[in-house]
Amino acid sequence: MLFYLIATLNASFPDYDFSSLNADQFTKEPSPDYCLKSISTTLLNVGCPATLKTSRMWDSIDDVINIDECDVYSYMPDPESDPYEAEGPVWSFNYFFLNRNLKRIVFFTCRCISNLDELDNTSDQELVFGDLIDEPARPDLYPVPSYARKEMSIGGGLRL
């Protein structure tokens, strides 16, 4: 089974070589329901409720893999084997939904990358008042709750 998880990572991130991963970097989760609740809570807390509601995300995934029949594994990479490490993620998670009967794996990964670096070259006065000449304030630079860019992919290729 470890072979299939590593092969899925290699297919999802072709620029990385995961062949040296150890089994201790993968954890079998208590239940698929536990993972669905964890993922849904995270997406709701970071401001992605539309992803869950309008796209019927879990229904679509269930149609492909029958979630209730899956074993779910999480992957906790070390810094050397983390394909997101170069971007300095605030957080990330990686889940594999494995249905042995259907011989299918769905890899579900999500990360949050800080965009606060974009604010470093902007003065506090400009953040609050905008450029004092004749330009309006730039609301895209305000440090409001959406301080980070969120990316989610399913199967390593489908971005929602």
Side-chain angles (χ1 to χ4, degrees):
M1 186 230 4
L2 180 62
F3 169 79
Y4 294 116
L5 300 178
I6 291 173
T8 302
L9 284 171
N10 281 323
S12 299
F13 301 100
D15 295 339
Y16 291 86
D17 180 16
F18 297 96
S19 60
S20 64
L21 292 183
N22 298 317
D24 62 344
Q25 291 177 280
F26 297 90
T27 304
K28 186 170 188 218
E29 297 299 326
S31 71
D33 191 50
Y34 170 83
C35 296
L36 269 63
K37 287 177 182 175
S38 175
I39 292 168
S40 296
T41 300
T42 300
L43 293 177
L44 287 170
N45 287 335
V46 298
C48 296
T51 300
L52 297 170
K53 293 178 185 174
T54 60
S55 69
R56 298 180 346 129
M57 181 180 71
W58 293 124
D59 292 337
S60 299
I61 294 172
D62 190 50
D63 289 345
V64 171
I65 198 142
N66 296 333
I67 294 173
D68 290 336
E69 297 176 10
C70 290
D71 290 327
V72 182
Y73 296 86
S74 60
Y75 166 57
M76 292 300 297
D78 57 28
E80 294 82 36
S81 65
D82 187 356
Y84 299 139
E85 183 63 28
E87 297 168 331
V90 176
W91 54 261
S92 66
F93 60 73
N94 305 283
Y95 289 103
F96 297 87
F97 292 81
L98 172 66
N99 186 319
R100 294 174 196 253
N101 294 332
L102 295 176
K103 299 180 182 176
R104 293 182 183 165
I105 295 177
V106 170
F107 175 51
F108 192 106
T109 183
C110 185
R111 65 186 169 175
C112 177
I113 302 167
S114 173
N115 67 4
L116 291 177
D117 290 340
E118 296 173 15
L119 299 175
D120 286 346
N121 297 327
T122 307
S123 70
D124 291 342
Q125 187 175 11
E126 186 177 9
L127 282 173
V128 175
F129 300 109
D131 190 348
L132 293 177
I133 302 176
D134 281 332
E135 295 180 28
R138 291 188 51 198
D140 60 314
L141 292 178
Y142 295 148
V144 294
S146 75
Y147 67 92
R149 181 180 62 178
K150 298 160 290 281
E151 291 187 6
M152 178 175 55
S153 61
I154 300 171
L158 174 62
R159 290 241 168 123
L160 299 177

